[in-house]
């Protein structure tokens, strides 16, 4: 092997959505993520959000049909996961506390 790629950080996560407005209400409204501009050259619907104070982005990409072939997710760390669960539930989101336990970590 001649070398290795040196990964510096996570750049972005892409989530495919069928309803951009509903997704924006959740990510921008419920979670309070800050929307940032997307390149004007994009010809498909979507939105970009900053994940936390660093440079990592969330890309919402509009798709015509939901792809439910596999379980996909990304996780964010919050200062109070129980309060985050209450906020998501109060906004009508489904909150199911994780069935696969990680010692010392509460997840939904």
């Amino acid at each position: 092997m001649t070398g290795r790629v040196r990964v510096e950080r996570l750049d972005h996560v892409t989530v495919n959505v069928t309803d951009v407005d509903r997704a924006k209400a959740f990510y921008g409204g419920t979670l309070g993520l800050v929307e940032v501009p997307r390149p004007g050259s994009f010809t498909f619907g979507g939105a970009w959000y900053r994940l936390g104070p660093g440079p990592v982005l969330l890309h919402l990409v509009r798709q015509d049909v939901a792809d439910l072939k596999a379980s996909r997710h990304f996780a964010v760390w919050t200062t109070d996961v129980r309060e985050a669960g209450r906020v998501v539930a109060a906004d009508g989101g489904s909150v199911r506390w994780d069935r696969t336990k990680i010692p010392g970590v509460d997840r939904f």
Side-chain angles (χ1 to χ4, degrees), residues 15-39:
V15 174
N16 294 327
V17 300
T18 56
D19 186 336
V20 174
D21 290 335
R22 183 173 175 217
K24 289 176 73 169
F26 176 72
Y27 290 105
T30 301
L31 295 187
L33 299 181
V34 175
E35 188 170 1
V36 297
R38 293 185 337 142

Side-chain angles (χ1 to χ4, degrees), residues 21-67:
D21 290 335
R22 183 173 175 217
K24 289 176 73 169
F26 176 72
Y27 290 105
T30 301
L31 295 187
L33 299 181
V34 175
E35 188 170 1
V36 297
R38 293 185 337 142
S41 59
F42 282 11
T43 59
F44 51 90
W48 284 10
Y49 290 91
R50 184 150 323 282
L51 289 173
V56 179
L57 297 175
L58 166 65
H59 294 179
L60 301 180
V61 175
R62 191 194 162 299
Q63 300 292 319
D64 291 331
V65 183
D67 177 10

Side-chain angles (χ1 to χ4, degrees), residues 32-108:
L33 299 181
V34 175
E35 188 170 1
V36 297
R38 293 185 337 142
S41 59
F42 282 11
T43 59
F44 51 90
W48 284 10
Y49 290 91
R50 184 150 323 282
L51 289 173
V56 179
L57 297 175
L58 166 65
H59 294 179
L60 301 180
V61 175
R62 191 194 162 299
Q63 300 292 319
D64 291 331
V65 183
D67 177 10
L68 302 175
K69 293 179 183 175
S71 173
R72 296 177 180 94
H73 74 278
F74 70 96
V76 295
W77 194 269
T78 68
T79 55
D80 185 340
V81 70
R82 294 288 169 180
E83 178 61 19
R86 286 189 285 277
V87 169
V88 169
D91 271 5
S94 175
V95 175
R96 294 180 307 261
W97 291 96
D98 191 22
R99 68 186 185 287
T100 56
K101 301 296 181 191
I102 297 174
V105 178
D106 289 332
R107 309 183 311 170
F108 70 87

